[in-house]
Amino acid sequence: MRPARRRQGKDIPHSMDNGKVYLVGAGPGDPGLITVRGRQLLDECDAVVYDRLVPLELVVSLPARVERHYVGKISGKHALDQSQINELLAQLARQGLKVVRLKGGDPLVFGRGGEEALHLKECGVPFELVPGVTAGLAASACCGIPVTHRGRSVQVIMVTAHEAPDKQELQVSWDWLAQSRGGTLVGYMGVTQLPYVVERLLAGGMDPATPAAMIERGATPRQRIVSGTLVDLPRRVQEAAISPPALFIIGDVVALHRELEWVQPGVMAGLKVMVTRPSDQAGEMYALLRGLGAYVLPCPTIATREQDDQAAWEALAPLFGERTPHPPGWLILTSENGVRYFLKQFLKRYDYRALAAFRLAAVGAGTDRELAARGLKADFIPSRATTEALGRELAARMAAEPSGPVLRVRGNLGDDHVERALASAGARVHVLPVYATFTASWDAGLHTHLDRNPPDVITFTSGSSCSGLVDLLGSDRARELADRALIASIGPTTSRVIREAGLKVDLEAETHSVPGLVAALEQHYRASGAAPR
Ligand code: SAH
């Protein structure tokens, strides 16, 4: 990863040499449909400038050092106009930043990417164009409609159905399109204009029985398709209350949809599930939920920051090393983050052999998994997955057998059950904080997305993820969202915090882990029948 070249310390003058803008297609809505090149640029960039139709997960999961600029519509406010966006891109590049301009679908298909590139060219800012999967092709593929097909379609025309109010703009030749045979017409931005478009095509001589469909949110778990014939499509679209983003497809290939439809709706099909976990630890949960057909709302309410206290490490130095004190001590790890940050800091200074003086005590499924991923195994796991049980049971064990020093690794939050129980059992406890948890910050893009997509389910995988939501939204708004949703908690400690915040708990996982929580949701929706859309 490259460090950002500015805003670290004092203002350093930057040459424009390194600044560059990458106009990247984010694909149609599924975060998996960005190109490998696009993903790689996101991983390396210093700033991202993005629109409303970009899958939020791509932005939310960027490291904190990446500047985020949301330039899409914001409810009740003016969005930036195109010239302001052009200028923002040039400005960021002039500061020497590697900028990803992330756009829904393909940046050059009704995406105004060409205008942005021309502006950059005029300003002498280098740029690169990275194509994406455009919505028309993705939505048709995800509904089993091949846009070309032997004997049915030898041409594809992509058209914008949005009539520009400015009469100087080019106009679509609907009459000409109505006359063309043996092709597929893909219409972007056409929900409100559909009746007009159909009227023009019929007036131009297109067969009223031509197969036609409208696809809403294609290639996402909330995809819906309405199909019929050209003449009855507007009525069907209205009855189904299709809303943007949606596009229409007209042509004989649409009939293949019935035979080639392949998307299997999962048990949570179309449900909007808010995930409040820190974004750098949420990938697995996003994927599991998506596997059940859920539409993930990535809303990390907390984040963690490493705390590497050099003085504390120096003071602990006598505990690490080849000379194994007899009897061995205990290294206590109670969270996934504890393992991650502790080992990162430890391995900067030592290697694993320097842990020989310790046995490992751990609590929690996430902690175990993180240890296992690094080839480590806990020697002691309490009978219940709480820090209280760990403190009590380990204290009992230490009373029965002699023990060396205890190293308790932790973050800044949570209880001190472990250190208190062990100290009162006579152990010498060293406490080493290795990270801090804080409330995440949300940009306008995230707030807007949540306003437009209120969750059906809200998940909490820690007490702090719930407190974080209340901090970010205020308790009234948090309660308003929670009242309309099913609240799912990872376990009793988290549930307690949720209730203390004045919210209800509808579902608590039996196995207190991310897969356990997702399994509980799956079971719930399987039992309650089809999920609503
Ligand atoms: N550059 C984008 C298009 C931007 S124009 C691309 O290449 O896909 C915005 C229009 O795209 C919307 O009005 C809608 O017609 C269409 N669109 C975008 N995402 C869509 C989706 N997931 N399903 C259906 N239509 C979509």
Side-chain angles (χ1 to χ4, degrees):
M1 259 188 272
R2 277 157 77 261
R5 272 178 296 273
R6 64 165 195 171
R7 297 199 184 158
Q8 291 186 341
K10 302 207 182 71
D11 266 355
I12 305 159
H14 295 283
S15 83
M16 208 174 118
D17 300 351
N18 297 319
K20 185 165 174 179
V21 177
Y22 298 80
L23 287 131
V24 177
D30 180 327
L33 287 175
I34 186 172
T35 61
V36 173
R37 174 76 180 139
R39 178 68 261 177
Q40 183 193 8
L41 288 166
L42 275 178
D43 289 338
E44 294 167 357
C45 73
D46 304 312
V48 64
V49 178
Y50 71 105
D51 292 326
R52 185 159 64 80
L53 287 181
V54 161
L56 210 52
E57 189 180 320
L58 295 177
V59 178
V60 159
S61 53
L62 293 173
R65 64 176 177 80
V66 178
E67 282 183 30
R68 290 143 218 233
H69 298 268
Y70 174 70
V71 295
K73 286 191 193 116
I74 302 177
S75 342
K77 283 195 197 155
H78 279 299
L80 293 190
D81 67 26
Q82 190 58 51
S83 60
Q84 290 171 307
I85 297 173
N86 294 347
E87 201 32 53
L88 173 66
L89 294 174
Q91 246 174 41
L92 292 169
R94 282 193 198 106
Q95 289 163 3
L97 302 185
K98 185 166 184 175
V99 183
V100 168
R101 168 66 172 123
L102 197 59
K103 287 172 162 285
D106 181 281
L108 305 177
V109 177
F110 306 122
R112 306 189 76 167
E115 292 166 55
E116 294 175 7
L118 277 172
H119 180 78
L120 295 169
K121 171 100 192 181
E122 271 167 34
C123 300
V125 171
F127 63 86
E128 183 176 317
L129 298 170
V130 183
V133 182
T134 188
L137 300 185
S140 42
C142 293
C143 289
I145 300 174
V147 288
T148 69
H149 194 78
R150 256 173 190 267
R152 295 203 197 203
S153 168
V154 291
Q155 60 182 348
V156 186
I157 296 179
M158 291 180 185
V159 63
T160 168
H162 180 74
E163 291 275 330
D166 176 357
K167 287 289 172 218
Q168 286 167 350
E169 287 280 331
L170 295 171
Q171 300 294 310
V172 178
S173 314
W174 297 109
D175 295 341
W176 178 79
L177 289 172
Q179 293 295 322
S180 80
R181 298 280 176 271
T184 307
L185 196 57
V186 180
Y188 290 68
M189 295 175 272
V191 182
T192 49
Q193 292 295 322
L194 185 69
Y196 166 78
V197 168
V198 169
E199 193 186 303
R200 294 287 309 267
L201 290 173
L202 291 173
M206 191 178 255
D207 182 353
T210 307
M214 188 85 163
I215 303 171
E216 180 189 74
R217 297 176 191 276
T220 77
R222 290 165 73 202
Q223 166 176 301
R224 287 202 298 162
I225 177 168
V226 171
S227 64
T229 57
L230 180 63
V231 69
D232 67 12
L233 191 64
R235 179 181 53 81
R236 287 173 189 263
V237 164
Q238 201 191 6
E239 279 170 8
I242 297 283
S243 61
L247 45 79
F248 61 74
I249 306 184
I250 299 170
D252 288 344
V253 288
V254 171
L256 287 165
H257 154 66
R258 304 232 168 272
E259 283 166 76
L260 296 180
E261 192 175 30
W262 58 271
V263 173
Q264 303 276 339
V267 64
M268 293 184 74
L271 284 170
K272 290 168 279 177
V273 183
M274 181 194 251
V275 176
T276 52
R277 269 176 94 59
S279 54
D280 57 342
Q281 293 173 271
E284 178 197 20
M285 188 155 177
Y286 297 156
L288 287 172
L289 287 167
R290 213 173 286 121
L292 296 174
Y295 178 84
V296 173
L297 297 169
C299 302
T301 55
I302 48 170
T304 58
R305 187 189 299 123
E306 183 175 2
Q307 260 182 2
D308 187 335
D309 183 342
Q310 175 60 17
W313 279 97
E314 274 167 23
L316 293 171
L319 302 183
F320 302 116
E322 291 119 49
R323 277 178 299 112
T324 309
H326 216 69
W330 287 100
L331 169 61
I332 301 179
L333 295 157
T334 57
S335 71
E336 191 178 318
N337 281 320
V339 178
R340 272 201 308 152
Y341 288 114
F342 171 76
L343 287 179
K344 184 170 172 224
Q345 295 169 26
F346 175 79
L347 293 172
K348 254 192 340 210
R349 299 170 165 97
Y350 306 97
D351 68 28
Y352 282 112
R353 290 168 302 168
L355 280 179
F358 291 97
R359 284 167 296 178
L360 285 178
V363 68
T367 316
D368 281 347
R369 270 204 317 175
E370 198 62 35
L371 283 172
R374 293 148 191 278
L376 294 170
K377 253 196 188 110
D379 302 288
F380 182 82
I381 293 173
S383 59
R384 289 191 59 227
T386 62
T387 47
E388 212 168 349
L390 176 73
R392 188 171 3 93
E393 294 174 21
L394 191 57
R397 175 150 171 189
M398 285 167 81
E401 67 182 33
S403 166
V406 172
L407 178 55
R408 157 76 160 126
V409 172
R410 59 173 302 150
N412 62 327
L413 299 182
D415 55 65
D416 56 359
H417 292 313
V418 174
E419 35 278 63
R420 277 197 287 127
L422 298 183
S424 59
R428 172 111 211 273
V429 183
H430 303 269
V431 177
L432 179 66
V434 290
Y435 70 99
T437 303
F438 57 97
T439 303
S441 62
W442 285 5
D443 68 358
L446 214 159
H447 278 290
T448 305
H449 194 75
L450 190 59
D451 287 347
R452 302 177 70 99
N453 299 280
D456 301 303
V457 178
I458 301 179
T459 61
F460 293 117
T461 49
S462 68
S464 48
S465 67
C466 176
S467 323
L469 185 70
V470 175
D471 279 355
L472 278 161
L473 296 179
S475 49
D476 288 352
R477 172 83 174 121
R479 197 162 312 143
E480 186 192 332
L481 284 184
D483 282 348
R484 298 174 44 178
L486 178 130
I487 311 288
S489 153
I490 198 167
T493 314
T494 301
S495 299
R496 200 179 319 130
V497 180
I498 300 173
R499 292 197 182 98
E500 278 164 15
L503 311 180
K504 66 196 160 72
V505 176
D506 299 300
L507 194 72
E508 188 179 280
E510 271 171 37
T511 309
H512 314 317
S513 65
V514 165
L517 178 57
V518 176
L521 283 168
E522 179 176 7
Q523 206 178 14
H524 173 85
Y525 284 104
R526 236 180 247 301
S528 64
R533 272 205 176 268

